[in-house]
Amino acid sequence: MKIDILTLFPEMFSLFNESIIGRAKEKGLFEINPVNIREYSKDKHRKVDDYPYGGGSGLVMGVQPIRDALKEIKKANGGPVIFLGPKGKTFDQNTARRLAKEDQLIFLCGHYEGIDERLYEDIDEEISLGDFILTGGEMAAIPIIDSILRLREGVLGRDESSVEESFSENLLEYPQYTRPEVYEGQRVPDILLSGHHENIRQWRRYQMLMITKERRPDLYAKHQLSKDDLKIMKKFTKDQEK
């Protein structure tokens, strides 16, 4: 996968040189190319913003440097142009899965009061990280790109580890435990020590359902309960009533 990122702060994306993602990058599983928008400015001071027509507070990122940067990038990257902005659809796991299928992507990180409206002609999709304000699009681009990359084959090392995770079915993940078996009086649930794989699977599924119902009812409402889910919920509800 090839990802180009139009940004005013290219050094921020050195984060992708670290940890699991960094090792995948070293293997050549993806390429990230931060592009400094200022390098395309025709202003002698490399200015990329200006005051808005009609008045108002703040500054607006101009057409010229961004459009020229996009023209150059598109010579080698034919992927969709994604703008990180507040008017876009909120990013979620389904969007991550969809974008992970692309071989090329271009991200545009906004700043100040946004971008000149004429630039929307160059943008294929606008994505928001959520209903809150960030200092720049880079802050949104980093977690979004990370969530996309980890779905690419080989990036996590074990492909199955990206499947049974939070949000994969609009469900949160089940509780996890490791050694020691007892610490300061707190014990690992007996069922996880039983060695009975089917009972463990059912317990974990029940935990996913109940945790999501309690903590994220909005997600739980989207989840389609299967016959297996209903059977598991009935079983563990009866066990708790005994």
Side-chain angles (χ1 to χ4, degrees), residues 173-218:
E173 197 171 9
Y174 51 77
Q176 299 274 17
Y177 297 85
T178 188
R179 294 179 177 83
E181 182 179 327
V182 182
Y183 185 73
E184 294 186 344
Q186 293 176 297
R187 299 183 59 86
V188 174
D190 290 338
I191 196 168
L192 298 179
L193 307 174
S194 68
H196 195 298
H197 297 300
E198 178 58 16
N199 285 348
I200 291 172
R201 182 195 72 80
Q202 291 182 8
W203 180 86
R204 285 175 168 170
R205 186 68 179 181
Y206 179 73
Q207 294 298 319
M208 292 171 71
L209 292 164
M210 292 300 99
I211 289 171
T212 306
K213 185 177 182 180
E214 177 185 344
R215 301 181 189 178
R216 290 292 305 275
D218 57 319

Side-chain angles (χ1 to χ4, degrees), residues 45-67:
H45 301 297
R46 297 298 190 197
K47 190 177 179 181
V48 298
D49 57 351
D50 212 329
Y51 294 103
Y53 279 117
S57 62
L59 299 166
V60 177
M61 295 181 75
V63 176
Q64 180 272 310
I66 293 175
R67 182 164 289 170

Side-chain angles (χ1 to χ4, degrees), residues 29-191:
L29 296 179
F30 66 88
E31 175 188 348
I32 285 186
N33 178 39
V35 177
N36 193 334
I37 298 169
R38 294 188 189 278
E39 293 181 2
Y40 290 86
S41 174
K42 293 179 180 178
D43 180 83
K44 65 179 181 180
H45 301 297
R46 297 298 190 197
K47 190 177 179 181
V48 298
D49 57 351
D50 212 329
Y51 294 103
Y53 279 117
S57 62
L59 299 166
V60 177
M61 295 181 75
V63 176
Q64 180 272 310
I66 293 175
R67 182 164 289 170
D68 284 359
L70 283 171
K71 287 178 180 178
E72 184 64 28
I73 288 170
K74 286 182 176 181
K75 292 177 182 178
N77 187 333
V81 178
I82 299 167
F83 173 53
L84 287 313
K87 299 175 187 175
K89 181 181 177 182
T90 303
F91 185 76
D92 59 18
Q93 192 66 14
N94 287 332
T95 307
R97 281 192 283 265
R98 173 170 59 82
L99 294 178
K101 296 175 182 178
E102 300 281 351
D103 289 324
Q104 297 180 323
L105 292 169
I106 301 171
F107 286 91
L108 169 59
C109 301
H111 267 271
Y112 314 119
E113 295 304 311
I115 58 173
D116 189 298
E117 189 70 17
R118 289 168 289 190
L119 281 165
Y120 277 94
E121 293 182 9
D122 306 272
I123 293 166
D124 297 298
E125 183 174 359
E126 183 172 3
I127 291 177
S128 169
L129 194 59
D131 295 332
F132 50 89
I133 300 171
L134 297 170
T135 55
E138 291 82 6
M139 298 296 190
I142 289 170
I144 287 172
I145 293 171
D146 179 80
S147 67
I148 292 168
L149 290 175
R150 67 196 313 282
L151 293 173
R152 297 284 293 186
E153 184 177 354
V155 169
L156 292 186
R158 293 172 58 228
D159 292 333
E160 64 270 20
S161 61
S162 69
V163 176
E164 271 196 26
E165 291 187 319
S166 296
F167 310 114
S168 61
E169 301 175 87
N170 292 314
L171 294 177
L172 301 178
E173 197 171 9
Y174 51 77
Q176 299 274 17
Y177 297 85
T178 188
R179 294 179 177 83
E181 182 179 327
V182 182
Y183 185 73
E184 294 186 344
Q186 293 176 297
R187 299 183 59 86
V188 174
D190 290 338
I191 196 168

Side-chain angles (χ1 to χ4, degrees), residues 17-37:
N17 296 327
E18 307 298 330
S19 189
I20 295 171
I21 295 292
R23 290 194 292 272
K25 184 180 179 184
E26 289 178 358
K27 293 177 183 177
L29 296 179
F30 66 88
E31 175 188 348
I32 285 186
N33 178 39
V35 177
N36 193 334
I37 298 169

